[in-house]
Amino acid sequence: MNQANIPELERIASQVRRDIVRMVHAVNSGHPGGSLGCTDFFVALYFHIMDRKEGFDMDGLNEDIFFLSNGHISPVWYSILARAGYFEVSELSTFRRLDSRLQGHPATEEGLPGIRIASGSLGQGLSVACGAAQAKKLNGENNLVFALMGDGELEEGQVWEAAMYAAHHKIDNLIATVDYNGQQIDGPTDEVMSLGDLKAKWEAFGWHVIESNGNDMDSIVKSLEHAKSLTGKAKPILNLMSTEMGYGVDFMVGTHKWHGVAPNDEQLADALAQLPETLGDY
């Protein structure tokens, strides 16, 4: 693996955060909070960690693939896919509009490159990732499968069924990440449904757990590199990633109130003033 260029990854992250707030503002709809919090993770994943092929096909043979389970944070994924060359950056201007391929929750019927499953019905992504990882083993591939879930999403029972399944079948080419920001749509997770000791829970389910800071580019890069080094050892890997919802925009940080609310004109201007334009706005 090549040495990570942290300053360049941070430059990309600033532009992606600009894309996010502009996309949701334009249609007064979408989920900026979790998208901003996970930006550094997505940048590290797509621009450094994953072994990707040129172009896109649904099978994803002989390359690393990614599944987004908490599909409501589609703005960050769409921006990343466009900035990584899967489709034209200008298409970001169609987010959540009629007949757009960039629906509020990612879907496959429109044929948007980079999207392999519909997501947003929470709790399902880890199950899909397990199946894809097993398929790669059956194909004799050495590539990895990555998945991202929200912490509030862990209230879904299917997550824990998949967690048991992955450990039992020794799916050790799978790296799942939990966005541990302590917030969900109805409020702090501690008030809605306490998560308890997540590290101990995942370890009890038979996973190798690492902990990371998802809002520090150097930290998340090193953590994902470490996670890759743990593959192939008969255990699935869980990256418990601490983030702040709304990270990068001071008035959005750390509150569930920006889970699914778009900024107004004044708030957009304030947000953009905090985020340097580095790759050119769409």
Side-chain angles (χ1 to χ4, degrees):
M1 183 185 298
N2 294 328
Q3 183 72 22
N5 185 336
I6 300 301
E8 178 59 21
L9 294 176
E10 290 174 339
R11 289 182 70 253
I12 297 170
S14 182
Q15 186 65 54
V16 169
R17 287 188 166 99
R18 287 180 67 89
D19 291 346
I20 291 165
V21 294
R22 294 183 68 235
M23 289 162 67
V24 297
H25 166 265
V27 289
N28 194 32
S29 178
H31 295 77
S35 294
L36 292 167
C38 285
T39 296
D40 301 299
F41 166 81
F42 273 90
V43 170
L45 192 67
Y46 273 84
F47 289 90
H48 178 64
I49 294 294
M50 284 203 302
D51 179 10
R52 301 189 289 117
K53 296 187 301 190
E54 289 294 322
F56 173 77
D57 61 72
M58 288 296 286
D59 291 334
L61 297 174
N62 300 307
E63 66 173 332
D64 296 345
I65 60 175
F66 168 76
F67 295 103
L68 175 65
S69 189
N70 49 328
H72 54 275
I73 64 168
S74 61
V76 63
W77 199 17
Y78 292 150
S79 171
I80 287 290
L81 290 173
R83 297 292 175 178
Y86 284 85
F87 54 86
E88 292 296 324
V89 172
S90 59
E91 192 169 354
L92 295 178
S93 65
T94 71
F95 175 67
R96 278 184 174 250
R97 298 188 184 278
L98 292 177
D99 299 321
S100 172
R101 298 197 296 178
L102 279 61
Q103 299 184 31
H105 291 73
T108 55
E109 66 265 25
E110 303 294 344
L112 185 67
I115 310 296
R116 291 189 169 88
I117 61 164
S119 63
S121 295
L122 297 177
Q124 299 177 4
L126 186 59
S127 297
V128 176
C130 286
Q134 285 187 302
K136 287 193 173 294
K137 283 179 170 285
L138 290 171
N139 289 336
E141 295 182 54
N142 293 319
N143 293 96
L144 304 176
V145 175
F146 294 85
L148 176 66
M149 301 170 279
D151 52 1
E153 184 177 4
L154 302 186
E155 294 168 20
E156 297 281 357
Q158 184 173 337
V159 172
W160 300 104
E161 294 178 53
M164 284 192 291
Y165 182 92
H168 175 78
H169 291 281
K170 297 180 173 56
I171 305 178
D172 56 4
N173 57 340
L174 170 63
I175 300 173
T177 294
V178 171
D179 176 21
Y180 195 15
N181 61 25
Q183 307 289 335
Q184 58 190 103
I185 192 169
D186 290 329
T189 54
D190 282 347
E191 296 179 12
V192 178
M193 182 72 75
S194 296
L195 297 170
D197 188 339
L198 282 184
K199 185 174 188 290
K201 285 180 179 178
W202 282 94
E203 287 178 339
F205 272 72
W207 287 59
H208 190 116
V209 180
I210 66 170
E211 297 178 278
S212 63
N213 177 357
N215 295 141
D216 179 275
M217 188 64 74
D218 186 59
S219 173
I220 191 60
V221 164
K222 288 177 179 175
S223 295
L224 289 172
E225 289 175 343
H226 178 50
K228 288 184 70 170
S229 76
L230 297 171
T231 59
K233 298 180 180 179
K235 278 189 174 185
I237 296 100
L238 190 284
N239 171 32
L240 189 57
M241 180 179 73
S242 296
T243 68
E244 290 277 1
M245 182 171 280
Y247 188 84
V249 178
D250 57 9
F251 61 87
M252 292 187 179
V253 171
T255 171
H256 72 280
K257 295 178 180 179
W258 290 96
H259 175 91
V261 175
N264 60 30
D265 292 351
E266 182 179 348
Q267 290 165 332
L268 174 67
D270 187 357
L272 292 177
Q274 301 174 47
L275 301 167
E277 180 182 353
T278 56
L279 302 180
D281 289 335
Y282 60 85

